[in-house]
Amino acid sequence: MGDNASLTKTADRRRCNNPHLTVFATGVTAARKGLRVYDCPYQHPAMRASWLKGFAQAQQLSLDL
C-alpha cells in the first residue's frame, strides 16, 4: 500500500496545470499591443485579476528610457 501512495503522488500533475500563468501572459501581451483595460476578455473574478495583474505589470515595465 505504501508503494501505491507514492505512485499516485508522482502521477498527479494538477499542480502543473495553472491557468493563471497563461492568463497573466495574455494580459502582458495585451498591454504590449496597446489594448485598453476594458478589453479584458475574462468574466471570472480570479481570471480577471490575473489578467489585470499582468496588464498592469507590463504597462509599468514598458518605459523606454
Side-chain angles (χ1 to χ4, degrees):
M1 187 168 176
D3 294 333
N4 291 339
S6 65
L7 181 62
T8 57
K9 283 189 178 186
T10 57
D12 185 18
R13 295 189 177 181
R14 287 179 287 181
R15 62 183 170 86
C16 299
N17 185 16
N18 187 358
H20 292 279
L21 298 176
T22 305
V23 174
F24 184 89
T26 307
V28 169
T29 305
R32 290 182 180 162
K33 285 183 180 178
L35 298 177
R36 301 288 181 193
V37 175
Y38 54 80
D39 291 329
C40 178
Y42 299 98
Q43 298 296 322
H44 191 275
M47 294 297 139
R48 182 177 284 186
S50 294
W51 190 88
L52 288 172
K53 207 181 275 187
F55 188 86
Q57 184 177 1
Q59 277 190 331
Q60 290 176 0
L61 296 177
S62 65
L63 296 176
D64 297 325
L65 298 176

